[in-house]
């Protein structure tokens, strides 16, 4: 089954709002085995809507609109839908009653704007809204299903989950689609493409691959279809195993995993604590680690040693070491990691020092040069990286790479 | 001038990625006086692309695509464009040279996938990509301008700002639109709407207002149109002055200003240094401050004092104070700020301790309760805030609010 999404709203066309509704619906419909083939955003103007519905119905069996159902005068979708489906708009007493109960429960008074939300096209099936007054609507015409949902994200989501998804499951025979995303770090998109070229070329035709890069992380998404769920799962598992055999050392997780959560869980399970010594990342690693609820179970804290003075005073890095080797060096990152371990009394420590840019680069240590060390007990592992020219991305890559190195150390691999 | 955006990418259609590219382009084109009338997302499949370009060209004079230009085999846009514009794809030696320089500078080796990025349609004007290998392309056909940009957000943005926007300004007569954005903190959207109700109601009809909220920050964007630029600027200046008279204490900057940059510049100008003592923000404030190039001029570093042990050991917070008042208290935040000031030898310090959530809240100190202190010399200013229930937003709000307090202290206001 194919679907098209139509987002109605001027706020998206002027970039004031990012279209998260479409992302939510696309993901949820995909999980149901409904492929979204197009997403269209148009202005909330009466003249646009019928043509877009007409076009969509030539390509999809399910046409889903969001937005344009609010109580204010600039929301015209409802009347356009009524006209498009040759319907009259009339008062739905049941809906009016629900709206009254909803507003009274919140201590409000029903005005004519709210009451107007009970004026609905005669020939639609109402999809009740439990968290607002704009109702969802289900229409059928020439074997095409049209659904209109409000644009307020939490209202739209609630109607989708409670009303629309169950109806779609009941009324249509939906195919099986399965997605698996492999999360990797430490390799560029083009190097990855080269590495998995052969495997990719031999993928069965019902399984497709997508590369999803972001700074420090490259996600590989496998999407498979088959009418037999078990066979598909088996087939995907086989392909995943082959892929893992090729790119194993770069993999840090799957699907919705986050590196900071994975490393955090490893620390918690082993009963270990962590501290940080951050120079060029300036607090970014701490921010990632503490974005995970419950991080206090294993995270003690850190020193943001931005100046050399703090590297020496707070981490015990010898001024002579800085003088001799420079602040961005193997020697300094080792002393930083050791200092954090001892002074912050943790089992593991992570230290980073680098040239984030745009200034500060030299011929021998250009912008992007970054030393990362992991210390545990009396063992320190360190490595130098050459990221890029962009300050923000260098910081992001350094933080992700440091967590990836920590994960490998916690696993006992290097 | 009307524009249509076409986002090419399966990752948007399955909801794995939110279409932030479209939001960015819609906002930027609007600023240039170009109205986006439709945004369409389609799959990266050869059969889709020509029809969508054709449709868009019937409604808009500028058709802008993003995505589908990567080096991997699932990116087909380039070949579709070549076919659509009756062009051959051939090697562009100048682009190949740039790609080589780009990859070598990063210590990489040019493989055939990278080199393939220099294969470009003959009849396009190349919009060089400074931060990647996928080039932007400008085509003209039957008085319609078509532009293809890569889908990686930072590459797309850089090409837009450095290459595309200047060409659009030069080559088309665009209407006069002027935007002024006032940046505020410390006030909710609904409280702001109430506060400026009268002013907003009296805005001239050629000036419109938009509220752009994000955690900790509320931006107010004024957009004015007029065929006389001088008159428009004058009119906008008058309205801004009236607005400033009402909301002055909440304003921290204008347009592209960033709070971390403003406070950084104030510190630099005054020759002052800063240190941090972060508990619940976990490094977020340090990350914001060090995201600004040259932060080492004024930022010495900080202590991420996530555990109470580190609050005591590294900042000198008395265990008795923590025991008596709790880690989230005026007393503790004062000792944290004083400790950072003395131990990190800075002129100013910022300290934050709070309950970020979701766990850790109590009746007296519910999730969101956050103490922030600014210390300078022997003076400490502190305040308690009650943010909300969402961990990520609480951390973001605490960091922004701390910088806003620092700015006020640096100005000598409270």
């Amino acid at each position: 089954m194919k679907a098209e999404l139509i987002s109605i709203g001027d706020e998206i066309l002027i970039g004031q709002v990012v279209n998260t509704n479409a992302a939510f619906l696309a993901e949820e419909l995909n999980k149901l085995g409904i492929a979204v083939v197009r997403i269209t955003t148009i202005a909330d103007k009466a003249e646009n809507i019928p043509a877009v519905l007409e076009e969509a119905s030539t390509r999809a069996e399910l046409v889903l609109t969001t937005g344009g159902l609010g109580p204010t005068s600039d929301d015209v979708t409802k009347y356009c839908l009524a006209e498009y489906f040759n319907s009259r708009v009339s008062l739905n007493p049941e809906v009016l009653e629900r709206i009254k109960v909803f507003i009274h429960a919140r201590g409000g008074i029903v005005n004519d704007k709210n009451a107007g939300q009970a004026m609905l096209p005669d020939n639609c099936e109402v999809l009740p809204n439990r968290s607002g007054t704009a109702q969802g609507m289900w229409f059928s015409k020439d074997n095409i299903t049209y659904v209109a949902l409000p644009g307020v994200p939490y209202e739209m989501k609630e109607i989708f989950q409670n009303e629309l998804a169950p109806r779609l499951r009941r009324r249509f025979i939906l195919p099986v689609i399965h997605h698996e995303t492999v999360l990797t770090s430490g390799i560029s998109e083009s190097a990855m493409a080269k590495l998995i070229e052969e495997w990719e070329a031999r993928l069965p035709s019902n399984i497709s691959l997508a590369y999803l890069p972001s700074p420090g992380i490259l996600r590989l998404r496998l999407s498979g279809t088959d009418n037999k769920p078990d066979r598909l799962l088996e087939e995907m598992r086989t392909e995943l195993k082959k892929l893992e055999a090729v790119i194993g050392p770069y993999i840090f997780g799957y699907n919705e995993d986050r590196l900071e959560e994975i490393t955090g869980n490893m620390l918690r399970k082993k009963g270990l604590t962590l501290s940080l010594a951050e120079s060029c990342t300036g607090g970014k690693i701490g921010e990632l680690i503490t974005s995970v609820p419950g991080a206090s179970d294993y995270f003690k804290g850190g020193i943001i040693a931005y100046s050399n003075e703090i590297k020496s005073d707070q981490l015990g890095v010898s001024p002579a070491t800085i003088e001799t080797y420079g602040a961005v060096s193997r020697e300094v990152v080792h002393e930083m990691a050791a200092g954090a371990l001892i002074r912050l009394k943790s089992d593991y420590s992570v230290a980073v020092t680098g040239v984030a840019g745009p200034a500060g680069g030299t011929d021998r240590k250009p912008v992007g040069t970054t030393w990362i060390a992991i210390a545990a007990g009396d063992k320190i592992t360190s490595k130098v990286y050459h990221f890029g020219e962009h300050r923000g991305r260098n910081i992001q890559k350094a933080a992700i790479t440091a967590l990836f190195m920590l994960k490998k150390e916690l696993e006992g691999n290097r």
Side-chain angles (χ1 to χ4, degrees), chain A:
Chain A
M1 187 174 193
K2 287 178 184 172
E4 287 214 15
L5 306 181
I6 299 168
S7 305
I8 301 169
D10 302 329
E11 65 278 15
I12 302 171
L13 292 175
I14 67 162
Q16 194 160 337
V17 155
V18 178
N19 196 352
T20 54
N21 279 352
F24 170 84
L25 288 170
E27 187 171 2
E28 293 303 315
L29 290 171
N30 256 279
K31 283 186 199 159
L32 292 177
I34 299 171
V36 174
V37 293
R38 190 180 286 211
I39 302 168
T40 307
T41 302
I42 51 168
D44 197 1
K45 281 187 191 130
E47 64 266 32
N48 287 329
I49 296 170
V52 175
L53 291 175
E54 191 70 42
E55 284 168 34
S57 70
T58 65
R59 291 176 301 243
E61 297 94 56
L62 172 64
V63 178
L64 219 164
T65 73
T66 54
L69 301 179
T72 56
S73 53
D74 57 342
D75 290 313
V76 297
T77 306
K78 190 168 66 183
Y79 295 93
C80 292
L81 291 173
E83 209 180 306
Y84 188 77
F85 296 109
N86 297 315
S87 172
R88 274 194 204 160
V89 172
S90 63
L91 185 80
N92 184 318
E94 208 177 299
V95 171
L96 181 62
E97 195 46 42
R98 264 209 318 272
I99 290 174
K100 282 182 179 168
V101 170
F102 179 85
I103 292 186
H104 291 153
R106 280 152 190 79
I109 295 158
V110 181
N111 59 32
D112 51 355
K113 293 223 187 263
N114 308 135
Q117 296 283 68
M119 297 291 291
L120 292 167
D122 281 342
N123 58 355
C124 80
E125 178 179 343
V126 175
L127 306 181
N129 184 347
R130 283 172 183 75
S131 40
T133 55
Q135 309 299 307
M137 290 172 260
W138 173 298
F139 299 90
S140 295
K141 186 184 174 184
D142 303 333
N143 282 322
I144 310 288
T145 300
Y146 300 81
V147 175
L149 298 176
V152 178
Y154 67 85
E155 298 183 19
M156 180 279 293
K157 286 177 190 174
E158 217 160 83
I159 299 177
F160 181 89
Q161 302 288 21
N162 296 324
E163 303 291 339
L164 182 54
R167 281 176 177 80
L168 291 170
R169 269 196 218 95
R170 261 198 321 268
R171 295 180 191 176
F172 299 103
I173 297 159
L174 299 171
V176 176
I177 296 189
H178 189 70
H179 300 281
E180 285 289 344
T181 305
V182 180
L183 311 177
T184 73
S185 186
I187 183 164
S188 71
E189 187 179 355
S190 56
M192 178 64 87
K194 200 81 194 155
L195 192 60
I196 63 175
E197 204 169 19
E198 275 185 47
W199 169 82
E200 193 179 347
R202 287 180 195 152
L203 270 178
S205 62
N206 63 322
I207 299 181
S208 65
L209 175 74
Y211 293 75
L212 307 169
S214 60
I217 293 176
L218 174 62
R219 297 183 296 153
L220 299 177
R221 192 190 60 229
L222 281 171
S223 305
T225 53
D226 195 322
N227 47 19
K228 299 210 169 157
D230 292 346
R231 188 172 61 186
L232 177 60
L233 281 179
E234 188 51 42
E235 211 173 11
M236 300 268 294
R237 225 173 279 140
T238 307
E239 289 306 326
L240 265 181
K241 267 189 200 148
K242 287 189 213 160
L243 178 62
E244 285 162 356
V246 182
I247 64 165
Y250 300 105
I251 298 174
F252 70 81
Y254 296 87
N255 300 314
E256 308 303 317
D257 283 349
R258 287 164 59 210
L259 196 42
E260 53 272 27
E261 207 164 351
I262 293 172
T263 46
N265 287 336
M266 289 173 82
L267 288 163
R268 185 188 282 112
K269 259 186 211 152
K270 292 172 188 250
L272 297 170
T273 57
L274 176 70
S275 69
L276 304 175
E278 300 195 54
S279 182
C280 66
T281 47
K284 177 77 199 172
I285 304 175
E287 193 232 327
L288 285 173
I289 289 171
T290 59
S291 71
V292 181
S296 55
D297 291 350
Y298 45 83
F299 181 57
K300 299 193 81 169
I303 307 290
I304 304 174
Y306 215 62
S307 69
N308 288 342
E309 192 186 342
I310 291 190
K311 287 185 186 75
S312 298
D313 289 358
Q314 303 302 318
L315 291 166
V317 177
S318 146
T321 309
I322 298 176
E323 178 69 29
T324 311
Y325 301 99
V328 178
S329 62
R330 180 188 161 93
E331 290 74 12
V332 166
V333 85
H334 275 235
E335 291 188 23
M336 287 171 69
L341 202 67
I342 294 161
R343 300 198 175 199
L344 306 184
K345 298 171 193 155
S346 61
D347 301 306
Y348 273 74
S349 74
V350 173
V352 182
T353 178
V355 189
T362 62
D363 279 353
R364 281 193 50 231
K365 292 175 187 172
V367 166
T369 306
T370 307
W371 276 96
I372 304 178
I374 314 289
D378 52 8
K379 195 185 95 183
I380 301 179
T381 309
S382 64
K383 204 175 158 188
V384 65
Y385 295 87
H386 301 280
F387 295 123
E389 285 160 33
H390 186 280
R391 183 180 181 85
R393 284 199 300 278
N394 285 341
I395 294 170
Q396 178 77 19
K397 285 179 183 175
I400 293 290
T401 306
L403 289 175
F404 192 40
M405 273 180 70
L406 172 63
K407 178 173 182 284
K408 297 215 160 196
E409 284 303 311
L410 286 167
E411 283 168 346
N413 309 327
R414 289 201 215 165

